[in-house]
Amino acid sequence: MLGARDVVPDSSTADILVAAADCFMERGYSATSVDDVARRLGATKGRIYHHFPSKSALFAGVFQFGMDRIFDAVEPYRNQPGPAVERWKRIAFVHTKRMMKSKTLARVVWEGVEMHLRGATTPEQRLVLDGLVKYRNSYSDIFRETIVQAREEGDFNFEDPAITVQSMFMALNSPIFWYVPRPGEDDEHMYAVVRQIVTFAYRGLGGKGELDL
Amino acid sequence: MLGARDVVPDSSTADILVAAADCFMERGYSATSVDDVARRLGATKGRIYHHFPSKSALFAGVFQFGMDRIFDAVEPYRNQPGPAVERWKRIAFVHTKRMMKSKTLARVVWEGVEMHLRGATTPEQRLVLDGLVKYRNSYSDIFRETIVQAREEGDFNFEDPAITVQSMFMALNSPIFWYVPRPGEDDEHMYAVVRQIVTFAYRGLGGKGELDL
DNA sequence: TTGACAACATACTGGGTAGTATGTTCTTTG
DNA sequence: CAAAGAACATACTACCCAGTATGTTGTCAA
């Protein structure tokens, strides 16, 4: 697998990644200084530069960390037998759930993809980002193959897979922008939100009947 | 109307707005320097600071300019008589078309909303951004009211309007991230893309039958 | 013709920031 | 127990950037 889980970060490195993810989410990549991340850790730059050679490498680390966790969620279901539409229901559900539960990491991954699409980066940054985005594209391929197969099996109905998978992902990813967990909110309420989002995407893809989740 | 078209920018100011929009889209707000915008104009900072008091005011100008154009597209259809679902079809279509045709401005508006959601801004910036986001929310209200009415008329079917309108907007806005107009591409091809996106959203909202656009 | 102002350009400043060079402390290993 | 290196902190530098202060040129009205 492309760059997946090559290195498991040790405890201190993991703390840095989490703090960095928080900062990147709150202010965005370029508005976040390395000192900001250090401050959040109650530490100084020295600690961060001991583990990461540069700010962009730190960002790449968070991206990788985030993508790993997203992959983790879907991994158990991606190769299950049965009709493709049933597989889609499961991976769409756990994907969206993960978007909400790991909102911070998911948004950093989002910004990474955005940065790549912009293209306005240094050649060295670009090389790293290229690899990461390939990793992320291999993830979206899982969904693309699944919905195409489901269409062949007569359960979905759409024209261009490229366009459709983009619309689908945008809908499934939407909560990373607006979802705010209420204090004392139980999982059941969160699942209700997930269900509505997945239902929207399911219908959008041309799925028939009700979504039984 | 909330802050709409109060001031029509003169020619020179409009040039600055366009150049700024290009820069903001390519690198994002904080990664863009005022000198960057000036360079793109073949001018210097002096010109920009003569028309705008600050970088954030420049951003606000682009945001306003972009929102005005988005409003423009929908305005002729928002109060047309007939069933709400038909009104939705029209405004969803022109909205998505505008997203693609004014992709640059649309992305700046997007980043403005994102910045507001993050909340990590100076109090003074926040005040300006608050007003702009209210302006943009009054726009999304048009869609929310329309789909709720269409649901009451039995043409749409969904649970929570707040969640659903978010999913819908994400789907309709998606092309601002991936659409790249091919050289020599005709409008007909672009409309085909729009049609697929709107179809996805239409079905997602619980619309029955085919979309006749 | 002149003076006043608009529309810029030029030159400068202070603060922030990525990255580096160099301590310091603690742990581990032979 | 000594020494070597890991895991940081401190101190510093060079640079970029928002904003300002001031100069310059063209226009237009009296």
Side-chain angles (χ1 to χ4, degrees):
Chain A
M1 175 51 61
L2 218 156
R5 203 77 33 65
D6 292 341
V7 205
V8 177
D10 62 286
S11 163
S12 178
T13 305
D15 287 346
I16 295 175
L17 288 174
V18 170
D22 288 343
C23 291
F24 288 147
M25 166 172 162
E26 280 181 12
R27 303 174 191 262
Y29 174 72
S30 44
T32 299
S33 73
V34 179
D35 284 301
D36 284 338
V37 180
R39 253 191 300 275
R40 180 170 292 240
L41 283 165
T44 66
K45 273 213 284 239
R47 178 170 172 193
I48 295 172
Y49 277 102
H50 181 72
H51 292 271
F52 298 91
S54 67
K55 185 187 171 185
S56 57
L58 174 61
F59 182 83
V62 179
F63 188 110
Q64 174 90 40
F65 188 66
M67 271 311 299
D68 283 347
R69 295 210 57 183
I70 296 172
F71 255 107
D72 278 351
V74 168
E75 193 60 45
Y77 306 100
R78 60 180 294 194
N79 283 324
Q80 275 192 353
V85 65
E86 293 303 320
R87 220 161 52 238
W88 180 88
K89 287 178 189 172
R90 293 199 178 282
I91 63 179
F93 187 81
V94 295
H95 169 85
T96 308
K97 202 173 72 185
R98 181 50 57 96
M99 289 297 108
M100 292 169 74
K101 289 225 175 197
S102 305
K103 183 181 143 189
T104 306
L105 289 171
R107 281 200 63 166
V108 176
V109 171
W110 172 279
E111 194 180 356
V113 176
E114 241 188 299
M115 281 172 59
H116 181 260
L117 288 174
R118 288 205 243 258
T121 39
T122 68
E124 167 250 355
Q125 250 184 18
R126 197 160 177 69
L127 238 155
V128 183
L129 215 54
D130 271 358
L132 293 171
V133 170
K134 261 183 201 145
Y135 182 33
R136 130 85 210 197
N137 284 346
S138 73
Y139 179 74
S140 75
D141 281 347
I142 298 175
F143 282 82
R144 196 172 46 78
E145 287 160 11
T146 305
I147 66 171
V148 167
Q149 194 183 340
R151 181 177 64 174
E152 284 164 4
E153 294 169 0
D155 293 317
F156 279 162
N157 173 29
F158 52 84
E159 291 183 43
D160 187 340
I163 296 173
T164 307
V165 83
Q166 294 280 5
S167 305
M168 181 208 75
F169 259 118
M170 288 290 282
L172 296 183
N173 290 339
S174 71
I176 70 177
F177 293 108
W178 51 262
Y179 176 67
V180 184
R182 303 280 181 77
E185 182 177 287
D186 57 340
D187 274 8
E188 203 44 57
H189 177 265
M190 210 194 72
Y191 290 160
V193 177
V194 175
R195 219 174 297 125
Q196 289 185 58
I197 295 170
V198 175
T199 298
F200 183 92
Y202 175 74
R203 290 177 177 161
L205 290 164
K208 296 150 212 158
E210 283 304 306
L211 228 196
D212 47 333
L213 281 172
Chain B
M1 174 51 61
L2 218 156
R5 203 80 30 69
D6 292 342
V7 205
V8 177
D10 63 287
S11 163
S12 179
T13 305
D15 286 346
I16 295 175
L17 287 173
V18 170
D22 288 343
C23 291
F24 288 148
M25 168 175 161
E26 280 181 12
R27 304 172 191 261
Y29 174 71
S30 43
T32 299
S33 74
V34 179
D35 285 300
D36 284 338
V37 180
R39 250 191 302 276
R40 179 169 293 240
L41 283 165
T44 66
K45 272 211 284 236
R47 178 168 172 195
I48 294 173
Y49 277 102
H50 180 73
H51 293 271
F52 298 91
S54 67
K55 185 186 171 185
S56 58
L58 174 60
F59 181 83
V62 179
F63 188 109
Q64 175 90 42
F65 188 65
M67 270 312 298
D68 284 347
R69 297 210 55 183
I70 295 173
F71 255 107
D72 278 351
V74 167
E75 194 61 45
Y77 307 100
R78 59 179 294 196
N79 283 323
Q80 276 192 352
V85 65
E86 292 303 320
R87 220 162 50 238
W88 182 87
K89 286 177 189 173
R90 293 200 176 281
I91 62 178
F93 187 80
V94 295
H95 169 85
T96 308
K97 202 174 71 183
R98 181 49 58 97
M99 290 296 108
M100 292 168 74
K101 289 227 175 199
S102 305
K103 182 180 143 190
T104 305
L105 288 171
R107 281 199 63 165
V108 176
V109 171
W110 172 279
E111 193 180 356
V113 176
E114 241 189 298
M115 280 172 59
H116 181 260
L117 288 175
R118 289 204 243 258
T121 39
T122 69
E124 168 250 354
Q125 250 185 18
R126 198 161 177 70
L127 239 154
V128 183
L129 215 53
D130 271 359
L132 293 171
V133 169
K134 260 182 201 145
Y135 183 32
R136 129 89 212 196
N137 284 345
S138 73
Y139 179 74
S140 76
D141 281 347
I142 299 175
F143 283 82
R144 195 171 46 78
E145 285 161 11
T146 306
I147 66 171
V148 167
Q149 194 184 339
R151 182 177 61 174
E152 284 164 4
E153 293 169 1
D155 292 317
F156 278 163
N157 172 29
F158 51 84
E159 291 183 43
D160 188 340
I163 296 172
T164 307
V165 83
Q166 294 280 5
S167 304
M168 181 208 75
F169 258 118
M170 288 291 282
L172 295 184
N173 290 338
S174 71
I176 69 176
F177 293 107
W178 50 262
Y179 176 67
V180 184
R182 302 280 181 79
E185 183 178 286
D186 57 340
D187 274 8
E188 204 44 58
H189 177 264
M190 210 194 72
Y191 291 160
V193 176
V194 176
R195 218 174 298 125
Q196 290 184 57
I197 295 170
V198 175
T199 298
F200 182 92
Y202 175 75
R203 289 177 175 160
L205 291 165
K208 295 150 212 158
E210 283 304 305
L211 229 196
D212 48 333
L213 280 174

